[in-house]
Amino acid sequence: MTDRADVIVIGGGIVGTSTAFFLRRRKRSVILIERGLTGQQASGVNFGGVRRQGRALSQLAMSNRALDIWYRAQSLLGEDVEFLPSGHTRVCYHAHDAEYFHRYAAEARAYGLDLEVLDGAALFRRFPFLGREVLAASISPRDGHANPRLAAPAFGRAAARLGANLVENADIVRVEKEAGGFRVQSATGAVWRAEQVLICAGAWAGALSAQFGEPVPLVTRGPQMAVTEPVPYRFMHSMGVYTSIKEESVYFRQIPRGNLVLGGGAPGPADALTRRASVLPGNTVQQIAQFRRLVPALAPLHVIRVWSGVESYLPDSEPVIGPSSTTDGLFYAFGFSGSGFQIGPGVGETLAELLDAGSTDIPLEPFSIARFGRTASAASVHVQTASEA
Ligand SMILES: Cc1cc2nc3c(=O)[nH]c(=O)nc-3n(C[C@H](O)[C@H](O)[C@H](O)COP(=O)(O)OP(=O)(O)OC[C@H]3O[C@@H](n4cnc5c(N)ncnc54)[C@H](O)[C@@H]3O)c2cc1C
């Protein structure tokens, strides 16, 4: 395999693997470099929600593009990633949250997201299993869920079948601009070169962006997941509670094998240095209590496993996506703040377009890395990452 390409993609999560895939469809040569295995971090351990509703309006154009890819994933990739276009429903317990559902639905329509808001008798006719404290529901019929274990590796394999050089178990420690492009070096001294570089290294991206004078205030946290024993497959909708009271939030989806996957509540600690995220037992207890409040008939179900993953958050909950503000040919995509799985393939296709054609119709201004300024040095960012972790 050659050590030189048009583009080097650093990070083999859903963003990196899908970008490599779409770059190959544009006939750009690509080296995709992953420290461990593709999909090993957040992209492989998340809840699997393919949810557009509830996103900032600024993300909806990209999110719609992503949904279109999820619908075509099997034919694009030649593999089933268990995408189920089940619909996604948000419910709430408080009047001000119900008002927000109506406001959001009106605003989102202009961005191509059609939602139906139900309350009263109509709500319980549609979802008779819901606890009677539920006040309103916002239904997004075209959203759904998919299997995170399968998705990023499938994009990686499809990119490799199209000719991408997929390098796993290579930890990139240095990225430098040189005449004609970039030099990228691993911890063991291996070197690759390319005209363009995309850094999509999730919770670890800040250490690399700081090398170009663009530190970011990334913090790491671990969303808390649980899965129940299997029961007959009845719940097609992926569903979650929207609330400003963090402890009340819970969401679930049932997979056709019968297990219910749960998430929600306060996140737990996540350590970028050891690459470990923990589940706090108290969070699981609270999650189950809220699940019983939401669907009382499922109260007897046993949780059989819990887990978490290292996710990167930015202060405004918007990701960084787009070109570097200091260095031509360098691009970023990270900091998805708990919701990068759904949007990931849309980011990948948009970045492939941007790197290849030089522009895209998807608005990227809200996601610019320049919004964080260029103050801290590389050294101070390393210290910050360690203390967060
Ligand atoms: C428990 C949990 C539940 C979630 N639920 C949902 C959900 O339901 N829906 C949703 O939309 N989002 C969800 N998310 C968020 C979503 O999983 C992430 O936002 C998304 O996967 C981020 O993808 P990524 O490719 O940017 O990062 P990652 O998946 O973290 O991939 C980055 C990759 O870069 C690699 N890397 C890092 N540094 C280097 C280096 N120096 N050299 C080489 N490789 C490197 C890492 O090993 C990693 O594989 C959840 C996240 C978690 C943790």
Side-chain angles (χ1 to χ4, degrees), residues 79 137 176 260 297 323 338 365:
E79 294 186 41
E176 284 168 316
L260 285 103
E365 298 74 31

Side-chain angles (χ1 to χ4, degrees), residues 162-224:
L162 291 180
N165 179 3
L166 171 53
V167 182
E168 292 180 310
N169 301 307
D171 186 359
I172 298 306
V173 291
R174 191 91 216 136
V175 183
E176 284 168 316
K177 181 96 182 178
E178 61 178 17
F182 292 85
R183 179 182 187 277
V184 171
Q185 186 180 328
S186 79
T188 59
V191 169
W192 296 268
R193 289 188 161 82
E195 286 162 30
Q196 295 170 311
V197 166
L198 168 64
I199 293 171
C200 46
W204 303 269
L208 297 174
S209 72
Q211 294 179 9
F212 292 91
E214 297 177 293
V216 281
L218 271 186
V219 297
T220 50
R221 293 188 205 128
Q224 311 279 282

Side-chain angles (χ1 to χ4, degrees), residues 217-233:
L218 271 186
V219 297
T220 50
R221 293 188 205 128
Q224 311 279 282
M225 300 288 119
V227 64
T228 72
E229 61 187 316
V231 287
Y233 185 39

Side-chain angles (χ1 to χ4, degrees), residues 49-132:
V50 178
R51 170 187 61 77
R52 290 175 301 160
Q53 71 164 327
R55 286 175 185 277
L57 300 174
S58 54
Q59 292 188 18
L60 287 180
M62 187 94 77
S63 186
N64 290 338
R65 185 174 203 173
L67 189 69
D68 180 53
I69 298 166
W70 283 109
Y71 271 84
R72 292 184 292 127
Q74 184 149 5
S75 63
L76 280 173
L77 305 177
E79 294 186 41
D80 183 9
V81 297
E82 297 180 1
F83 170 64
L84 293 173
S86 58
H88 176 268
T89 298
R90 294 207 290 175
V91 303
C92 67
Y93 297 124
H94 308 291
H96 59 272
D97 291 332
E99 285 161 22
Y100 160 75
F101 280 178
H102 286 282
R103 248 191 347 267
Y104 183 82
E107 289 170 356
R109 190 162 301 123
Y111 293 82
L113 172 58
D114 287 323
L115 303 172
E116 180 186 7
V117 180
L118 290 180
D119 51 20
L123 164 67
F124 293 108
R125 261 199 309 278
R126 177 80 72 91
F127 304 114
F129 53 83
L130 285 176
R132 287 323 191 238

Side-chain angles (χ1 to χ4, degrees), residues 267-328:
D271 186 331
L273 291 183
T274 61
R275 303 170 210 165
R276 289 285 181 273
S278 318
V279 172
L280 303 177
N283 287 359
T284 306
V285 170
Q286 194 166 57
Q287 207 172 61
I288 298 305
Q290 291 300 329
F291 181 52
R292 291 172 171 178
R293 179 183 182 194
L294 181 62
V295 191
L298 293 179
L301 283 189
H302 289 118
V303 165
I304 58 171
R305 191 165 74 85
V306 297
W307 75 96
S308 184
V310 182
E311 172 66 342
S312 62
Y313 292 80
L314 287 164
D316 55 6
S317 299
E318 294 277 17
V320 165
I321 307 170
S324 159
S325 64
T326 63
T327 310
D328 281 349

